[in-house]
């Protein structure tokens, strides 16, 4: 066991905390904490945690040969005591001297986080500011204090007390990683702690450091380790730091194609599409076989509206690279979009058909549907514009529509949305600029309007989508201790808008609101994350599927059941937990999701559902998807009194009847 922060370190930091922070705290115990971790016999490897090889405690390998627990610390309210858990390593195999200052930082972060819980539960909850079982508020308060104390107390203490160790660590990072970052940056963002004290860490500079340490331990040379670190920082959305490393690498070798390809990726995420194009073209001039460079060149031309170039580049990709099926399908849809914009409708339809042949999964189907909808919208554009002009709305200046929308709130939502729809239809640059201006207003109603306009502006073409996502996610970033946007109505609208825009870059900022005290905001998070298949999005949807409010549970369950094509034990278990939900819609979504995945456990609850007085269409669809003979009697009995969609019921009966081995009905 290893406790990098000594008792003196802990006492010294505690002395730096604001007066009264330690009132009522009985003590701090340092221990292994095995009993506070997940049971090794029931852990799920998909969570990213496993028993460490030294003591068998559930956790992860934080740094090469250094293990931490799944749970880092715990505040016991009945005992008014804190327990901080050890790091584990084999002293004969691992020299922790380099990492000691970083481990001190991490351990002291745990200490101040748990002290924050003590302050909350002894001073705020005790005074009836809120209930102690309101976990989201408790955690939000603890996280704010933790971040404040890290910046004001812990980091300055370490820099003043251990300057040589801090310098050694930052020198090592600069040497192997290629950029000198601060100790404060390594402290990371405030942690997000779920129910029962289980801590989950967000991707940030600290995680990038862990990956860099593994790259060096694997024996990679300086160029490789620095390129890896730039990639890790880019993944953590620290693009400025990533670009500095890439520029340093290019100063040493101006002909490094892989560096230019990554630079194209970084510029694309920064929505500097022209710089992305330049970097991608430079990478290709150095290495014509760089698949990543060709892909980002295709993306850049598409975003810039260079349709002929987009077709040329995408065609080269499809002809010369053995792309994975999902990527190949995506490239075909991208080329179809470009062909639509050049007037090659036959070519567009051909590419969309090929895309579905390659990958008939939900993400590709949505992409195909978007291009088709855009085509149909253009066919009807003249008629639609005439109808709008007849109504008079489309002739109004954007400023008048904005004024009309704002004046209608809060009493006339119908008038408000009528004005918003007119702004969407116009989809012009001046409307975008007005919406952008509104998003930075000091007035919450104006910010809400700006967000609502950006969500579906110029749909389905959405030529301002990239800039809109950047504005909306920027409103969710933290400024010091708090999130930039605080108004629940605006936060709800941001979630809905990001859901319509469908950009995976929104996952992280949306996930940061998953424990917001407002149910409407949590609903917005569920809506915004639907359709995203990355780990963080799925994890948050699983958590929200058990939300106390039915409308949040329903949408999160719908997202897991139908909006993604993933099938994991965690998703199945989340769906199974909802098969007896008191909310009819949530329960039906769960049954359908399990049936789609052919989970045998759905038979009994689905049979019960089919025997209810009011059977939903989703339950009928679930029976058809499951196509199991055990459902046949319940469906047959239902047909005697069924007043719904006869064709849907007949299809379900036929599917289950054939599963029994009976002959088809005539």
């Amino acid at each position: 066991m290893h406790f990098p922060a000594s008792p003196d370190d802990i006492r010294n930091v505690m002395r730096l905390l604001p007066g009264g922070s330690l009132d009522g705290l009985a003590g701090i115990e340092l221990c292994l904490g095995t009993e506070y971790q997940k049971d090794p016999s029931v852990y799920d490897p998909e969570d990213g945690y496993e028993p460490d090889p030294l003591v068998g405690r559930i956790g992860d390998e934080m740094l090469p040969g250094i293990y931490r627990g799944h749970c880092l610390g715990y505040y016991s309210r009945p005992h008014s005591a804190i327990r901080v858990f050890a790091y584990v390593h084999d002293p004969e195999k691992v020299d922790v001297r380099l990492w000691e200052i970083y481990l001190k930082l991490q351990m002291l972060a745990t200490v101040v986080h748990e002290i924050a819980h003590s302050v909350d539960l002894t001073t705020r909850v005790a005074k009836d500011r809120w209930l102690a079982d309101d976990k989201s508020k408790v955690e939000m308060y603890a996280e704010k204090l933790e971040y404040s104390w890290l910046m004001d107390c812990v980091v300055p203490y370490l820099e003043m007390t251990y300057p040589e160790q801090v310098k050694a660590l930052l020198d090592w990072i600069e040497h192997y990683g290629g950029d000198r970052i601060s100790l404060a940056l390594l402290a990371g963002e405030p942690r997000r702690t779920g129910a029962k004290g289980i801590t989950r860490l967000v991707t940030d500079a600290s995680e990038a450091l862990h990956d860099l340490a593994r790259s060096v331990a694997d024996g990679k040379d300086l160029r490789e380790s620095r390129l890896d670190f730039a990639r890790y920082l880019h993944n953590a959305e620290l693009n400025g730091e990533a670009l500095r490393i890439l520029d340093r690498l290019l100063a040493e070798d101006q002909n490094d194609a892989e560096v230019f390809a990554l630079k194209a990726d970084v510029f694309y995420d920064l929505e500097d599409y022209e710089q992305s194009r330049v970097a991608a073209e430079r990478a290709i001039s150095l290495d014509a076989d760089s698949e990543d460079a060709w892909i980002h060149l295709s993306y850049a031309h598409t975003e810039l509206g260079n349709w002929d170039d987009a077709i040329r580049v995408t065609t080269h990709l499809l002809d010369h690279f053995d792309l994975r099926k999902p990527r190949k399908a995506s490239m075909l849809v991208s080329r179809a979009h470009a062909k639509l914009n050049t007037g090659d409708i036959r070519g567009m339809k051909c590419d969309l058909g090929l895309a579905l042949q390659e990958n008939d999964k939900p993400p590709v189907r949505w992409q195909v549907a978007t291009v088709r909808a855009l085509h149909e919208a253009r066919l009807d554009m003249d008629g639609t514009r005439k109808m709008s002009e007849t109504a008079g709305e489309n002739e109004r200046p954007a400023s008048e529509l904005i004024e009309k929308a704002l004046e209608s709130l809060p009493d006339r939502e119908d008038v408000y949305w009528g004005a918003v729809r007119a702004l969407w239809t116009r989809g012009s640059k001046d409307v975008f600029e007005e919406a952008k201006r509104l998003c930075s207003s000091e007035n919450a109603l104006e910010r809400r309007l700006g967000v609502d306009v950006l969500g579906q502006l110029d749909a389905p073409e959405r030529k301002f989508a990239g800039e809109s996502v950047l504005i909306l996610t920027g409103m969710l970033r933290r400024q010091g201790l708090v999130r930039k946007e605080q108004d629940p109505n605006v936060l709800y609208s941001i979630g809905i808008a990001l859901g319509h825009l469908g950009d995976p870059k929104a996952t992280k900022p949306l996930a940061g609101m998953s424990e917001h005290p407002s149910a409407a905001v949590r609903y917005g998070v569920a809506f915004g994350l639907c359709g995203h298949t990355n780990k963080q999005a799925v994890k948050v949807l699983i958590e929200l599927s058990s939300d106390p409010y039915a409308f949040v549970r329903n949408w999160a369950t719908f997202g897991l059941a139908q909006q993604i094509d993933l099938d994991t034990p965690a998703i199945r278990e989340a769906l199974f937990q909802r098969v007896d939900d008191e909310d009819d819609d949530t329960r039906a979504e769960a049954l359908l999701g399990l049936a789609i995945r052919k989970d045998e456990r759905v038979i009994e609850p689905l049979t019960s559902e089919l025997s209810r007085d009011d059977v939903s269409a989703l339950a009928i669809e679930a029976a058809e998807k499951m196509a199991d003979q055990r459902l046949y009697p319940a469906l047959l009995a239902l047909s005697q009194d069924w007043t719904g969609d006869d064709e849907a019921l007949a299809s379900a009966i036929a599917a289950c009847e054939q599963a029994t081995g009976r002959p088809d009905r005539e």
Side-chain angles (χ1 to χ4, degrees):
M1 291 194 303
H2 182 57
F3 297 100
S6 68
D8 283 342
D9 288 326
I10 295 173
R11 292 190 191 98
N12 289 334
V13 167
M14 290 166 66
R15 293 188 186 103
L16 297 173
L17 299 179
S21 300
L22 306 178
D23 292 352
L25 182 62
I28 297 177
E29 177 186 354
L30 307 182
C31 57
L32 183 61
T34 303
E35 66 273 25
Y36 293 93
Q37 313 299 328
K38 286 190 172 183
D39 184 346
S41 65
V42 297
Y43 83 96
D44 184 354
E46 290 192 6
D47 289 342
Y49 299 100
E50 59 185 4
D52 73 60
L54 300 176
V55 297
R57 184 183 62 177
I58 292 292
D60 67 340
E61 188 177 17
M62 176 185 184
L63 293 162
I66 302 174
Y67 300 87
R68 63 185 171 187
H70 176 259
C71 177
L72 304 178
Y74 180 75
Y75 172 71
S76 172
R77 190 183 185 194
H79 301 93
S80 299
I82 290 170
R83 293 179 177 86
V84 179
F85 306 138
Y87 297 87
V88 177
H89 73 280
D90 185 343
E92 295 183 2
K93 296 181 179 180
V94 179
D95 184 354
V96 298
R97 286 177 296 180
L98 171 67
W99 304 114
E100 193 74 2
I101 191 67
Y102 175 67
L103 294 173
K104 282 181 188 288
L105 173 64
Q106 295 299 316
M107 181 173 167
L108 290 172
T110 301
V111 170
V112 297
H113 182 86
E114 302 308 333
I115 292 176
H117 278 306
S118 173
V119 170
D120 192 14
L121 295 171
T122 57
T123 63
R124 295 169 67 84
V125 173
K127 295 178 182 178
D128 294 329
R129 293 294 298 275
W130 54 57
L131 296 177
D133 60 359
D134 191 342
K135 292 182 173 59
S136 61
K137 287 185 177 180
V138 169
E139 287 305 322
M140 288 172 66
Y141 180 76
E143 288 158 5
K144 290 177 184 178
L145 281 186
E146 175 197 355
Y147 185 72
S148 175
W149 291 346
L150 275 173
M151 297 299 106
D152 296 342
C153 304
V154 175
V155 171
Y157 166 74
L158 293 175
E159 290 176 335
M160 292 181 63
T161 309
Y162 302 99
E164 293 184 1
Q165 289 189 34
V166 171
K167 182 178 183 300
L169 175 63
L170 300 186
D171 285 347
W172 185 92
I173 295 172
E174 184 175 16
H175 177 70
Y176 288 102
D179 189 45
R180 193 172 192 82
I181 61 178
S182 67
L183 191 65
L185 190 62
L186 290 175
E189 298 177 358
R191 293 170 293 162
R192 293 288 174 269
T193 307
K196 301 180 182 178
I198 303 300
T199 303
R200 24 182 230 278
L201 303 178
V202 297
T203 301
D204 54 20
S206 64
E207 294 299 306
L209 175 61
H210 303 169
D211 289 328
L212 174 62
R214 283 186 278 272
S215 293
V216 175
D218 290 341
K220 294 186 176 181
D221 61 27
L222 277 182
R223 181 261 180 195
E224 290 179 304
S225 67
R226 290 174 178 177
L227 185 59
D228 282 349
F229 194 45
R231 189 173 289 111
Y232 302 144
L233 291 172
H234 169 48
N235 291 339
E237 298 182 358
L238 296 169
N239 290 311
E241 290 80 359
L243 283 176
R244 286 200 298 270
I245 297 172
L246 296 176
D247 287 340
R248 180 173 180 176
L249 288 169
L250 290 174
E252 297 169 358
D253 180 2
Q254 297 181 0
N255 298 312
D256 193 325
E258 196 173 359
V259 173
F260 276 111
L262 180 54
K263 201 169 185 179
D265 191 358
V266 174
F267 278 128
Y268 181 82
D269 279 5
L270 290 171
E271 299 191 2
D272 189 340
Y273 304 123
E274 180 59 26
Q275 289 281 14
S276 179
R277 179 193 66 78
V278 171
E281 288 182 343
R282 176 62 173 154
I284 291 168
S285 72
L286 296 167
D287 179 10
D289 294 326
S290 174
E291 180 179 318
D292 286 344
W294 281 102
I295 286 171
H296 284 98
L297 182 58
S298 171
Y299 291 162
H301 280 309
T302 298
E303 294 294 342
L304 292 167
N306 302 333
W307 304 119
D308 290 333
D309 288 328
I311 293 171
R312 173 182 57 81
V313 172
T314 309
T315 299
H316 180 88
L317 263 169
L318 293 166
D319 291 346
H320 293 85
F321 291 92
D322 185 19
L323 302 176
R324 293 179 293 107
K325 281 183 174 291
R327 176 166 281 181
K328 186 174 182 179
S330 181
M331 288 294 103
L332 284 164
V333 175
S334 181
R335 189 171 67 179
H337 182 205
K339 288 180 177 180
L340 170 62
N341 282 280
T342 62
D344 182 5
I345 305 304
R346 179 176 295 180
M348 175 206 75
K349 292 180 178 179
C350 178
D351 278 349
L352 293 180
L354 290 172
L356 291 174
Q357 289 179 27
E358 287 292 332
N359 192 340
D360 187 20
K361 299 291 180 64
V364 175
R365 291 204 300 268
W366 297 331
Q367 293 173 23
V368 169
T370 298
V371 176
R372 287 174 174 166
L374 177 58
H375 177 224
E376 292 170 3
R378 290 187 177 180
L379 290 176
D380 296 336
M381 188 176 294
D382 290 339
T384 302
R385 284 178 176 168
K386 288 177 181 177
M387 291 173 63
S388 297
E389 289 167 1
T390 300
E393 293 289 351
N394 215 35
E395 295 179 350
R396 287 190 174 198
S399 58
E400 287 187 21
L401 290 171
I402 289 170
E403 183 179 357
K404 179 180 179 181
L406 292 172
E407 288 177 351
S408 68
L409 291 176
D411 301 321
R412 293 293 307 275
E413 286 278 337
D414 57 331
V415 175
Y416 173 83
W417 286 109
V420 170
R421 281 191 292 271
L423 290 166
W424 288 342
T425 301
R426 183 167 303 177
S428 59
K429 181 69 173 177
D430 65 310
V431 173
F432 169 75
E433 291 297 338
E434 283 292 322
K436 179 180 178 181
R437 177 186 63 79
L438 290 169
C439 286
S440 60
S441 170
E442 293 185 2
N443 183 292
L445 289 178
E446 291 186 355
R447 296 198 302 278
R448 175 196 163 182
L449 174 57
V451 169
D452 287 338
V453 171
L454 290 180
Q456 298 189 66
L457 182 63
D458 193 40
E461 186 168 5
R462 302 183 191 278
K463 55 177 172 285
F464 305 106
E467 293 168 272
S468 297
V469 170
L470 192 63
I471 293 167
L472 297 172
T473 54
M475 296 174 74
L476 299 182
R477 290 198 179 94
R478 291 185 176 270
Q479 293 184 332
L481 307 183
V482 297
R483 187 179 289 106
K484 181 177 178 181
E485 180 56 62
Q486 293 290 299
D487 188 90
N489 290 322
V490 180
L491 292 174
Y492 161 80
S493 287
I494 291 174
I496 300 301
L498 289 172
H500 286 300
L501 290 166
D503 193 317
K505 290 194 290 294
T507 298
K508 183 178 177 181
L510 282 172
M513 300 195 297
S514 63
E515 295 180 353
H516 195 280
S518 166
V521 174
R522 298 196 302 276
Y523 173 83
V525 171
F527 188 99
L529 293 178
C530 272
H532 295 307
T533 57
N534 59 73
K535 267 189 173 182
Q536 190 175 29
V538 173
K539 188 173 184 180
V540 171
L541 286 175
I542 288 174
E543 292 169 355
L544 292 177
S545 70
S546 60
D547 192 274
Y549 288 83
F551 67 99
V552 180
R553 291 199 309 277
N554 176 34
W555 200 267
T557 305
F558 164 67
L560 294 170
Q562 297 193 63
Q563 296 301 298
I564 55 177
D565 199 34
L566 293 179
D567 187 5
T568 69
I571 291 175
R572 288 193 180 205
E573 185 57 30
L575 293 172
F576 187 70
Q577 291 300 317
R578 303 268 65 80
V579 296
D580 58 354
D581 197 286
E582 63 184 17
D583 178 66
D584 293 343
D585 292 335
T586 303
R587 188 173 63 251
E589 290 289 355
L591 293 170
L592 177 56
L594 289 171
I596 289 171
R597 291 161 177 82
K598 301 294 185 182
D599 193 310
E600 288 287 316
R601 294 177 298 173
V602 79
I603 297 298
E604 182 177 344
L606 182 52
T607 301
S608 299
E609 189 72 18
L610 294 171
S611 302
R612 287 176 174 266
D613 292 334
D614 186 15
V615 180
S616 71
L618 288 178
I620 302 299
E621 184 179 355
E624 182 181 2
K625 294 289 186 184
M626 195 64 190
D628 191 286
Q629 61 182 358
R630 289 167 288 181
L631 299 172
Y632 179 76
L635 289 168
L636 205 58
L638 177 62
S639 67
Q640 305 303 313
D641 302 308
W642 178 247
T643 58
D645 186 343
D646 290 333
E647 184 175 345
L649 179 59
S651 296
I653 290 174
C656 294
E657 185 179 33
Q658 291 172 22
T660 67
R662 298 172 183 266
D664 292 341
R665 291 184 178 182
E666 294 183 357

